[in-house]
């Protein structure tokens, strides 16, 4: 068994009771089977009390929350189990969070979830390409079921190839997106046709070619339909633009899915960003909205040096975290599209803050980390929402 840890993990430090966004709040905390067994063996009043807070939600055993908070968060904003010197009674996810541990056959990876404000701040302060290093074995949260060792080897090699392309200094982020879209869509088409032997023939071309020319990497002509179909639905990739997903598509996602009924109570700061987004974007014309968004983001990047590298780094980090998940269902295109979507949404919500915070267009490190943390918490780490967003991608984009 090989275990690798992403380099961002080595500099992470939990803020403990000083954390402004406690991780024991707002989540349905899953309890793994081994920890449930420990609860079952606890004697007396303590055992009965702990077991009384266990419930089932969508097939998982979770803690019943009290006003949105884990029942074992004490008055010092610490885990009661940890404070009492019994960390083995913490669910597995709590013991390792914000580290995410996923096993693919005999290979395990440890990454860092940016839904933690401390991790988000660390990322904002050090936006760079991450490396992988050997790490001690760790019990995984998820075990991705597949026995296709050749496909896993392909994904690992392909991810590094993609990362090399992402960090090319001669390409802008929008050129990188367009070039990779053409490349990965061709890979997806070959995989859906069960022609894995064709993958070696697919080239990752220079993304600087002008859109509109035949089969350029920028314009991305290819034969690939929506992820999961038979690959026969032809599509022409978009011209390079920071509005990779049209603003009309993002608007549908935000208003119909991301802005759900309880958001104002659960995450008022994120709900406030969405309300400001509605005011800021409602006057745009459909025909020009994408260009205006792209131009506004570029102005924001000029006003805030380092933002361009940060967005590239966030897209790169999304690829690191998401790409291997295609091992389960072979949908490489889906993972790539979500890597772009989360990056574009982060751009959009920072643009809203840039335009409305009243800070002369300068976003502090703390504000950047807060928006990143909110985007990850409210969008990326919501399984039901993820499927809804993918349905929008299939219907309105693919």
């Amino acid at each position: 068994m090989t275990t690798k840890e992403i380099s961002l993990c080595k500099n992470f430090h939990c803020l403990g009771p000083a954390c402004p966004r406690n991780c024991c709040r707002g989540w349905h905390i899953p309890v793994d089977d081994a920890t449930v067994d420990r609860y079952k063996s606890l004697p007396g009043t303590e055992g009965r009390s702990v077991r009384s807070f266990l419930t089932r939600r969508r097939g998982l055993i979770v803690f019943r929350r009290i006003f949105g908070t884990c029942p074992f968060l004490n008055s010092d904003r610490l885990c009661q189990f940890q404070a009492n010197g019994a960390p083995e009674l913490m669910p597995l996810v709590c013991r390792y969070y914000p580290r995410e541990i996923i096993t693919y056959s005999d290979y395990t990876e440890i990454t860092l979830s940016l839904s933690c404000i401390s991790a988000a701040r660390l990322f904002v302060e050090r936006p760079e390409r991450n490396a992988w290093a050997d790490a001690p074995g760790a019990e995984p949260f998820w075990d991705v079921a597949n026995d296709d060792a050749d496909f896993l080897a392909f994904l690992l090699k392909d991810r590094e190839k993609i990362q090399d392309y992402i960090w090319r200094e001669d390409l802008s982020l929008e050129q990188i997106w367009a070039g990779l879209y053409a490349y990965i869509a061709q890979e997806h088409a070959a995989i859906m046709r069960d022609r894995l032997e064709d993958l070696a023939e697919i080239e990752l071309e220079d993304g600087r070619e002008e859109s509109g020319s035949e089969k350029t990497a920028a314009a991305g002509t290819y034969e690939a339909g929506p992820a999961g179909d038979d690959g026969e639905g032809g599509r022409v990739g978009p011209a390079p633009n920071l509005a990779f997903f049209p603003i009309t598509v993002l608007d549908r996602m935000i208003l119909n899915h991301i802005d759900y009924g309880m958001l104002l109570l659960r995450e008022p700061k994120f709900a406030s960003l969405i309300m400001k987004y509605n005011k800021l974007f409602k006057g745009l014309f459909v025909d020009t909205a994408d260009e205006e968004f792209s131009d506004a983001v570029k102005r924001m990047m000029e006003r805030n040096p380092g933002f361009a590298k940060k967005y590239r780094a966030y897209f790169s980090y999304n690829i690191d975290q998401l790409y291997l998940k295609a091992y389960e269902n072979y949908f490489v295109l889906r993972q790539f599209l979500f890597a772009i979507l989360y990056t574009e949404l982060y751009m959009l919500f920072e643009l809203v803050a840039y335009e409305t915070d009243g800070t002369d267009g300068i976003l502090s490190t703390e504000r950047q980390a807060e928006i990143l943390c909110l985007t990850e918490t409210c969008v990326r780490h919501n399984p039901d929402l993820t499927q809804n967003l993918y349905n929008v991608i299939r219907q309105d984009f693919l």
Side-chain angles (χ1 to χ4, degrees):
M1 173 70 74
T2 300
T3 301
K4 297 284 186 179
E5 183 178 67
I6 205 164
S7 53
L8 191 64
C9 290
K10 66 183 179 183
N11 295 309
F12 171 77
H13 298 286
C14 177
L15 298 177
C19 182
R21 291 181 50 83
N22 196 283
C23 56
C24 303
R25 187 175 189 84
W27 298 94
H28 288 285
I29 300 172
V31 186
D32 54 287
D33 292 341
T35 305
V36 171
D37 289 341
R38 294 188 189 101
Y39 294 159
K40 290 178 179 178
S41 65
L42 280 177
T45 303
E46 181 186 13
R48 289 193 296 272
S49 175
V50 171
R51 291 189 291 272
S52 71
F53 287 108
L54 297 178
T55 186
R56 284 194 172 271
R57 185 177 186 272
R58 294 175 185 160
L60 297 174
I61 297 177
V62 300
F63 284 138
R64 183 181 293 106
R65 297 183 299 180
I66 299 177
F67 299 111
T69 301
C70 174
F72 302 106
L73 179 67
N74 68 20
S75 58
D76 294 324
R77 293 170 57 84
L78 294 171
C79 173
Q80 175 182 312
F81 298 129
Q82 192 171 37
N84 291 343
E88 70 279 2
L89 294 181
M90 299 169 67
L92 183 65
V93 67
C94 297
R95 275 176 267 155
Y96 284 108
Y97 183 84
R99 290 170 177 81
E100 294 185 358
I101 307 172
I102 303 180
T103 291
Y104 308 88
S105 295
D106 60 350
Y107 175 73
T108 298
E109 282 192 348
I110 305 173
T111 59
L112 205 64
S113 171
L114 303 183
S115 58
C116 164
I117 189 64
S118 182
R121 187 178 300 165
L122 176 63
F123 172 83
V124 167
E125 291 171 346
R126 305 183 185 197
E128 57 193 23
R129 179 174 179 175
N130 279 280
W132 297 93
D134 291 334
E139 188 176 352
F141 300 167
W142 299 281
D143 191 340
V144 178
N146 200 339
D147 295 317
D148 191 342
D150 290 341
F151 186 57
L152 178 59
F154 161 76
L155 288 175
L156 287 165
K157 183 178 179 180
D158 201 44
R159 185 176 65 178
E160 285 306 299
K161 182 178 181 180
I162 291 168
Q163 290 290 8
D164 289 341
Y165 190 79
I166 291 172
W167 289 98
R168 279 182 51 174
E169 295 183 357
D170 60 325
L171 296 178
S172 66
L173 185 56
E174 57 266 41
Q175 289 171 329
I176 290 166
W177 284 351
L180 286 175
Y181 186 33
Y183 169 70
I184 294 174
Q186 291 178 69
E187 290 186 322
H188 174 76
I191 293 169
M192 290 299 101
R193 295 182 180 123
D194 198 21
R195 296 184 60 86
L196 300 187
E197 67 275 10
D198 292 347
L199 293 174
E201 305 300 321
I202 300 173
E203 296 183 0
L204 180 50
E205 301 178 29
D206 194 324
R208 292 173 297 177
E209 298 182 42
E210 293 295 326
S211 64
S213 60
E214 183 177 357
K215 207 171 183 179
T216 65
T221 303
Y222 58 84
E223 296 178 356
D229 73 2
D230 61 4
E232 296 297 335
R235 175 177 167 75
V236 177
N241 196 307
L242 285 175
F244 181 91
F245 289 100
I247 295 302
T248 52
V249 174
L250 294 188
D251 190 68
R252 182 182 168 194
M253 291 179 177
I254 292 170
L255 299 184
N256 291 356
H257 301 290
I258 297 175
D259 189 15
Y260 59 88
M262 296 295 291
L263 184 62
L264 185 60
L265 293 176
R266 181 186 174 191
E267 291 290 355
K269 290 185 177 180
F270 195 60
S272 175
L273 277 175
I274 290 179
M275 286 187 281
K276 292 176 181 178
Y277 157 80
N278 289 334
K279 293 179 180 179
L280 194 63
F281 280 75
K282 69 178 181 181
L284 296 184
F285 294 102
V286 171
D287 292 342
T288 60
D290 296 348
E291 184 177 353
E292 291 185 46
F293 167 78
S294 187
D295 290 344
V297 171
K298 290 175 182 178
R299 288 194 299 271
M300 177 176 64
M301 291 192 292
E302 291 174 359
R303 185 76 175 116
N304 293 266
F307 271 34
K309 184 179 181 182
K310 180 183 69 174
Y311 295 139
R312 188 184 297 244
Y314 185 47
F315 174 60
S316 170
Y317 197 71
N318 285 329
I319 289 292
D320 270 332
Q321 281 204 316
L322 294 174
Y323 201 63
L324 289 197
K325 293 181 180 179
Y327 184 56
E328 182 175 24
N329 53 29
Y330 296 87
F331 292 172
V332 292
L333 185 58
R334 171 178 172 141
Q335 304 308 326
F336 167 72
L337 290 175
F338 269 116
I340 294 182
L341 176 63
Y342 297 140
T343 307
E344 191 175 341
L345 284 171
Y346 180 40
M347 284 180 179
L348 184 147
F349 290 122
E350 281 205 328
L351 179 62
V352 170
Y354 166 81
E355 296 282 1
T356 64
D357 273 10
T359 56
D360 197 26
I362 301 297
L363 297 182
S364 67
T365 297
E366 289 73 20
R367 183 60 164 153
Q368 295 172 52
E370 179 182 63
I371 295 171
L372 177 56
C373 179
L374 288 169
T375 303
E376 288 260 323
T377 301
C378 299
V379 181
R380 180 169 173 180
H381 295 284
N382 184 328
D384 292 338
L385 179 60
T386 298
Q387 186 55 50
N388 289 336
L389 296 186
Y390 190 58
N391 290 338
V392 176
I393 292 174
R394 290 177 63 96
Q395 294 165 13
D396 291 7
F397 183 76
L398 292 174

